């Protein structure tokens, strides 16, 4: 059976980016905490999840390849240092 959460609380920075997410179980106890980090372009570059004891349970790192317009065209996500997802996109610009 899966985990059920009774509440998810998000904390945002002054740029409206989520910087922290707390999940509470059905008993109202903290189940997990995720902290997010961003680069200068506002892209999420890291998320670290910890359990209620503060022990790290996962770490995701996102690496972006940008085009000449500073839009990402390739996103590679790493979990525990290994590439797990690669997303590529093509953007057409019109004059």
């Amino acid at each position: 059976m899966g985990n059920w959460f009774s509440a998810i609380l998000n904390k945002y920075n002054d740029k409206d980016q989520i910087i922290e997410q707390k999940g509470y179980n059905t008993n109202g106890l903290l189940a997990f905490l995720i902290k997010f980090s961003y680069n200068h372009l506002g892209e999420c570059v890291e998320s670290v999840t910890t359990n209620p004891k503060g022990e790290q349970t996962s770490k995701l790192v996102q690496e972006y390849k940008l085009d000449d317009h500073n839009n990402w065209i390739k996103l590679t996500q790493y979990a525990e240092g290994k590439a797990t997802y690669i997303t590529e996109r093509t953007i057409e610009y019109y004059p």
Side-chain angles (χ1 to χ4, degrees), residues 1-94:
M1 198 174 235
N3 294 326
W4 292 93
F5 301 104
S6 63
I8 303 256
L9 299 178
N10 295 327
K11 182 178 179 181
Y12 297 87
N13 63 17
D14 58 353
K15 296 178 182 176
D16 258 354
Q17 299 165 320
I18 185 170
I19 56 171
E20 187 176 277
Q21 183 176 77
K22 291 181 180 180
Y24 294 88
N25 63 24
T26 54
N27 295 325
L29 300 173
L30 181 66
F32 66 85
L33 169 65
I34 306 173
K35 291 190 177 187
F36 301 89
S37 300
Y38 299 86
N39 65 16
H40 68 285
L41 296 173
E43 299 161 331
C44 183
V45 293
E46 183 178 88
S47 59
V48 177
T49 304
T50 56
N51 64 20
K53 295 178 183 177
E55 302 164 330
Q56 182 176 308
T57 57
S58 74
K59 178 179 179 179
L60 299 177
V61 175
Q62 287 77 229
E63 184 179 276
Y64 300 89
K65 179 180 178 185
L66 306 177
D67 66 10
D68 294 336
H69 298 274
N70 277 340
N71 291 310
W72 69 265
I73 53 174
K74 182 176 181 181
L75 166 62
T76 306
Q77 184 177 63
Y78 298 89
E80 311 310 326
K82 296 181 182 178
T84 53
Y85 293 100
I86 298 173
T87 304
E88 294 185 71
R89 67 182 184 173
T90 302
I91 301 172
E92 286 188 45
Y93 297 98
Y94 297 94

